[in-house]
Amino acid sequence: MTAALPLQGTRWILQITITAAQAGSRWHEQLDRLRPIAGYDKSTQTWSAHIGALDLAGLSVLQTLFDTAAAYGTQVRIAPIAVPEHWIGPVFTSDSEIAALLRTQADTGRPLGHLPLA
């Protein structure tokens, strides 16, 4: 993530922008992975998803995106944004929530983004 986190004490979510790779004959497989977790914007030709908590649902979205990127070369960008007015899901309130989760979930030798199978 290249963008700085919003100021402490503000409410924010993660905006995920996905650019599908030209996967040749596997194009539809790639789209089948993206459709359940992201919406498509025809004007920008990108997919997008939002996460407001690193709970089971949020981590499942991230894992699907990491797997899709590994399999097809899909580009994934993550940036913190202010909570949109239409958002009704959970929100982050500080960066300590993410840091605490990463510290407790990190295994020696497992790259960031690779979640345990169990």
Side-chain angles (χ1 to χ4, degrees):
M1 179 166 49
T2 57
L5 290 174
L7 296 175
Q8 182 115 0
T10 61
R11 296 169 10 119
W12 55 280
I13 61 174
L14 291 175
Q15 176 175 290
I16 305 166
T17 305
I18 306 120
T19 305
Q22 298 300 325
S25 63
R26 299 177 66 200
W27 172 255
H28 292 290
E29 291 175 29
Q30 178 183 203
L31 299 185
D32 288 343
R33 286 191 181 191
L34 295 175
R35 278 188 192 102
I37 61 168
Y40 185 72
D41 180 354
K42 286 183 181 183
S43 65
T44 62
Q45 297 185 2
T46 59
W47 297 80
S48 65
H50 296 90
I51 296 176
L54 290 178
D55 55 9
L56 184 57
L59 291 175
S60 178
V61 167
L62 289 175
Q63 186 64 55
T64 299
L65 292 172
F66 285 126
D67 292 345
T68 304
Y72 306 100
T74 305
Q75 290 183 358
V76 178
R77 292 195 170 98
I78 300 173
I81 62 167
V83 178
E85 288 185 27
H86 67 276
W87 182 258
I88 57 172
V91 299
F92 295 105
T93 56
S94 73
D95 62 350
S96 64
E97 295 172 47
I98 295 174
L101 180 69
L102 292 176
R103 277 193 301 273
T104 60
Q105 296 295 323
D107 289 346
T108 303
R110 185 177 70 213
L112 181 63
H114 289 88
L115 303 177
L117 297 176

